[in-house]
């Protein structure tokens, strides 16, 4: 799934193209800015993550 598929309050795994690197909750602000907050409460902008991992993609988090 790509950035365009993300929905507000959705929990997703972030993949760097090879491995799952973080779990986060999506927040889409009214201006279209998208952030991900990890379980420890740290918030990252989607553009920051795309810069760090150019092959970024997402998987919906499904608890076991």
């Amino acid at each position: 799934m790509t950035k365009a598929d993300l929905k507000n309050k959705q929990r997703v795994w972030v993949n760097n193209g090879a491995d799952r690197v973080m779990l986060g909750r999506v927040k889409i602000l009214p201006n279209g800015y998208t952030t991900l907050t990890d379980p420890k409460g740290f918030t990252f902008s989607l553009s920051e993550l795309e810069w760090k991992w150019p092959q970024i993609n997402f998987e919906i988090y499904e608890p076991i």
Side-chain angles (χ1 to χ4, degrees):
M1 105 191 270
T2 65
K3 168 170 87 171
D5 300 318
L6 296 176
K7 294 178 178 45
N8 207 26
K9 298 183 181 177
Q10 187 175 46
R11 292 184 75 189
V12 296
W13 282 108
V14 177
N15 297 314
N16 67 2
D19 301 308
R20 287 179 175 170
V21 290
M22 83 178 259
L23 176 65
R25 183 173 301 277
V26 177
K27 184 170 186 180
I28 301 172
L29 303 176
N31 64 0
Y33 192 75
T34 303
T35 63
L36 288 168
T37 303
D38 74 5
K40 294 180 181 178
F42 294 102
T43 300
F44 303 88
S45 72
L46 193 56
S47 57
E48 176 184 9
L49 297 176
E50 288 174 316
W51 176 81
K52 188 172 182 177
W53 300 304
Q55 301 296 324
I56 195 168
N57 60 59
F58 307 93
E59 291 177 46
I60 295 174
Y61 171 73
E62 296 177 16
I64 296 173

